[in-house]
């Protein structure tokens, strides 16, 4: 399960990064400060999701915490950048799956 969460997280973080960079650029062109700031936070969310995905392979508990932090940031800017609500929900699900993977790994090590 750790491998699946990591691969899915890396793939989604790439999409989030591309979309957030486009929103940041368009916000700058349109001179809309709120959209530009929301896009910048979106880039941070994408970076956090990528880092969390990398941590999923070795430290799934740490990855779960980072995914949840990314989800909270995404929910904070979802008013100005509505797609971040979707990405935040996906990050939240990936965070909980990382915690489940950590528990399964701990149970197999004890057995």
């Amino acid at each position: 399960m750790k491998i699946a969460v990591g691969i899915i997280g890396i793939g989604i973080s790439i999409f989030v990064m591309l979309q957030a960079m486009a929103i940041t650029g368009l916000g700058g062109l349109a001179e809309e400060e709120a959209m530009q700031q929301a896009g910048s936070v979106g880039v941070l969310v994408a970076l956090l999701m990528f880092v969390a995905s990398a941590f999923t392979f070795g430290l799934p508990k740490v990855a779960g915490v980072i995914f949840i932090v990314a989800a909270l940031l995404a929910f904070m800017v979802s008013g100005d950048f509505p797609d971040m609500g979707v990405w935040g929900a996906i990050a939240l699900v990936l965070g909980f799956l990382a915690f489940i993977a950590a528990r399964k790994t701990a149970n197999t090590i004890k057995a």
Side-chain angles (χ1 to χ4, degrees):
M1 181 185 269
K2 292 188 303 187
I3 295 172
V5 172
I7 291 172
I8 291 169
I10 289 171
I12 289 176
S13 70
I14 291 170
F15 287 122
V16 175
M17 179 68 78
L18 291 173
Q19 186 180 29
M21 289 175 69
I23 290 294
T24 303
L26 290 173
L29 287 175
E31 297 180 3
E32 285 193 35
E33 190 173 335
M35 186 182 355
Q36 191 174 7
Q37 289 176 352
S40 297
V41 173
V43 171
L44 178 63
V45 168
L47 183 63
L48 285 173
M49 287 178 69
F50 188 80
V51 169
S53 300
F55 274 120
T56 302
F57 300 109
L59 301 168
K61 286 183 184 178
V62 173
V65 170
I66 297 172
F67 272 127
I68 291 173
V69 168
L72 292 175
L73 283 173
F75 290 139
M76 285 176 22
V77 296
S78 64
D80 295 321
F81 184 5
D83 289 352
M84 289 308 291
V86 174
W87 300 127
I90 291 172
L92 197 61
V93 169
L94 289 174
F96 285 127
L97 288 176
F99 280 124
I100 291 170
R103 283 189 61 195
K104 284 188 177 182
T105 303
N107 288 340
T108 40
I109 291 173
K110 289 179 184 177

